Amino acid sequence: MNIQSMLLISIKDIRLLFSDKAAVFFTLFFPLIMATFFGTVFSGGGGSAGISLAIADKDNSTLSQAYIESLSESSALNVQRLDEATAKEQVRKGKITAVLIIPEGFEKSKQSLFDNDVPTIELGIDPSRKASASMLKGLLMAQAAEDMQKQFTDTSLMIDEVNKGLESIEVEQFDDPELQTMLSSVKTWMEKSQQQANVQEDEISAVDDSNAESGDVEENSFSGFTPLTIEDKEIQRNKTGPQNAYAISFPQGMVWGIIGAITTYSLALISEVNSGTLGRLSSAPISRMTILGGKALACFMTIVFVCLVLVMVAMLFFKVSIYSWPILLTSILSCAFGFSGMMMLLSVLGKTEKAASGISWAILMLLAMTGGGMIPLIFMPKWMASIGELSPIKWAVVSFEGSFWRQYSFVDLMPTTGLLLTLGVVCFLIGSYIFNRREIN
Amino acid sequence: MLKISNVSKSYGDHLAVNDLSLEAKPGSVIGLLGPNGAGKTTTISMITGLIKPDSGSIDIFNSGSPEETQSRQNIGVAPQSLALYEPLSAYDNLSFFGKIYGLRGSALDTAIDDALALADLADRKDEPVNNFSGGMKRRLNLAIAMINKPKLLLLDEPTVGVDPQSRNALLDSVVALRDQGHTIIYTTHYMEEAQKVCDSVFIMDRGKILAAGTIGELVHKYGGEYAIHIQRQEAVEIIESSNPLVTLNELNIDPDSAFIQVRPPDLEQVFFNLTGKQLRD
C-alpha cells in the first residue's frame, strides 16, 4: 500500500465531504442537534416532575399508607414505593433524590400522640444534596402536621364523641362520678385544644409556604406541636453516574456523527464508481487496496474529528467533564477504526447509490435502535439491552460513556475496544474482498 | 508499444470482446470504431487493467500487462463519463491526479500549467468544476488524462455531448498530442472525427474486429462506389457509380433542371457497409 497516495485520497475525500452541505449537516450538525435536544429533554428543562422520593414502608399500617398517599398527592414530590435496599441503592446511583423509611411502630406512635411518643421516620439522602434535603424535610413535616390535624386535632369530632359518651351516661343513669368528672375534663380540654388548633392551622400554612420557597426547615420546629421526628441518614451517592443529562446525550450524539460519516463515505464510494473517478483512479499506478485504504482513512479521520468536536462542545457549553482523556481517545480511535471498516462493508452491499443508501440506513437504524443510539442505555428495558449487546453502536456508546462518567479503566474498556477493532478488520477485509472482485468500467 | 493478442472477454453468455488483436505504434492515433455494444469500452478497460481478459494477452511498452505499476505510470485515460471531482476546482483535480501519478514540486506545477493550457482553462482554474459547461468539463477530462504526460493515451468517446467549438478544440488537441509523440487509442462513433484524427482504424462490432487499416485502405476496400445525388424539385435520386463522370455523361442531365451532388465513398459508408444500418440497443 502506498501511504502517500492513501493520504492524498483521504484528504481529497474529506474535502469532498466538507464541500457537500447535506453531508456536513448529517455528519456534524445533526448529531450536535440530537445531543443538545435530548440532553435538554432529559435534563427536565421542560418542567420538573418534582423531587424523586422512594418510600420504604416497614410499618405497613393504615396510617403509614395514608401518610404515603398524602405525600403522593403532593405535586412537589415524585413518590415511588420500593423496598429499603432497592431504594437506598437507587439513591446511591443518583436515580432517586432521597429515600423515606417508615419504621415499624409508626402507627402506634401516631395514635399515642398525647403520651409524647412522636412518630419517627428516617430520611436517607446524599449529604451533598442539602437544598433538596431541607426542602424534603419541610414537605414531610408539613404533610405530617396536616395529617395530624385531620386525625387528632379534629376537636369538633372528638367533642361530639365525648358528648355522646356523657349523654349515654345520663340516659343510662350510670352512676359513676369519677367517669363523669374525667369526661367533663376531657371535654374542657378539647374545647381549649380547638381554640389552639385554629391558631396552629395558620402557622402550618405559613410553614408550608416558607418550606416550599426556601426548603430551610428544621425538624421539630413546628411551633408548640411536634407532629414528626425526622432522623437523617446519610446515603453517599456514587459519583460514577452521569454529571448531567448531556453526559448521556453527547455519547449518543457522537454515535450519530459516526453513522453520518459512514453513510456518507459508503455512498461516496459508489458515487465514484458510477461517475468514473474510481475507474480513473484504478487505472493509475496505485493498488486498489491503496484506494480503499485511503477511503477508510478519510472515514476514520472524519469520525475522530466529529467526535472531538462534539466532546469540545459538550465540555465548553454543557458542563460535561471527561473522566479520562486517554480512555476517551482510545474509545474514539477504536470506534473510528471499527466503523471505518464497517463503512467498507456497507459500501459494497448495494450497486447503486439508492440501494446502498437504503441498505446502510436500514442496518444502521436497527443497530442504533438496539444499541442505545436512540434510547439512552440507562433507560433501556432489559430485553432491549440484551439484544443491544450485539450492536456495535452499543459498544461505541458504552466506550464513550466509559470516559465520560462510567469511570472505565483500560481493562474495562478492553472488551468493547477488542470488539470494535475486530469489527473493523473483519468488515474491511470482507468489503475489500467483495470490492476487489468487482470489475470497474 | 501496445500489443493486444487474441484477447477475449465474456459477461456470462455475452461475448463482449472476441479474439481481438491489434498493435499500436508510437506517435499514431488508432481509432476504434463501432456501434453501441461493439466492445470498445471493454477493450479500453482491459488496456487500462480495470478488467481482466478471459484469454489472450496485452503488452504495454514491452513491460508486461497493464496490471504492472510501471505500465500504468505511462497510461493516461479519459473515460467516456466525466471522471471529475466536481466540487473541487480544475486546479485541484489536476493537482490531485498529478500527485497520484507521483508528480511533486515544479514538475507538478509544469504539468498542471501544460494541462490547463491544453484544455484552455488557465483563467478558470480556481473555479469549482460544477460551474463549468459540458465542453469545459470534457476538456478538463482530457487534460487530466494528460497530467502524467503518458506515452499511451486512451480516449473513450471524448467528444460526447460537446458543442462544435469544443469538439474542434478537442480534436486539435488530439492531433497536437500525436505530433508530440503520444500514442493514442481513440474510440468514437463519429466518423468525421475518426477521419480527422486517426491514422488507422479498427472497425468493431459485437466484440469482433471487422476491418482494420488506414482510412484510405478501408474506403478503397469497403467503401463501395461514388454516390450521385440528383435532386429534381422534391424528388431525390441516388445513383451509385464507380466512375461518376462517365455516368453523368451517359445520363446527360440538364444542369439547370437538377441539383447534382457527387459523394465519394467515405468512412461512414465503410462503417454502414460493415456493420449494417440496423438499430442497436
Side-chain angles (χ1 to χ4, degrees), chain A residues 250-263:
Chain A
F250 269 82
Q252 281 184 292
M254 289 159 76
V255 162
W256 281 104
I258 290 172
I259 290 173
I262 61 178
T263 310

Side-chain angles (χ1 to χ4, degrees), chain A residues 141 158 257 304 364 400:
Chain A
M141 193 69 81
M158 293 188 79
V304 172
L364 291 169
F400 294 144

Side-chain angles (χ1 to χ4, degrees), chain B residues 2 18 44 51 56 69 84 93 127 132 135 154 162 175 191 201 203 231-232 246 254 266 276:
Chain B
L2 168 68
N18 183 8
I44 293 283
I51 293 175
T69 306
L84 307 168
N93 270 278
E127 279 184 42
F132 285 6
L154 305 166
V162 300
V175 172
M191 298 304 131
V201 166
I203 295 178
Q231 187 175 353
R232 292 187 182 92
V246 172
D254 176 10
D266 59 9

Side-chain angles (χ1 to χ4, degrees), chain A residues 94 123 127 213:
Chain A
L123 182 66
E213 283 175 15

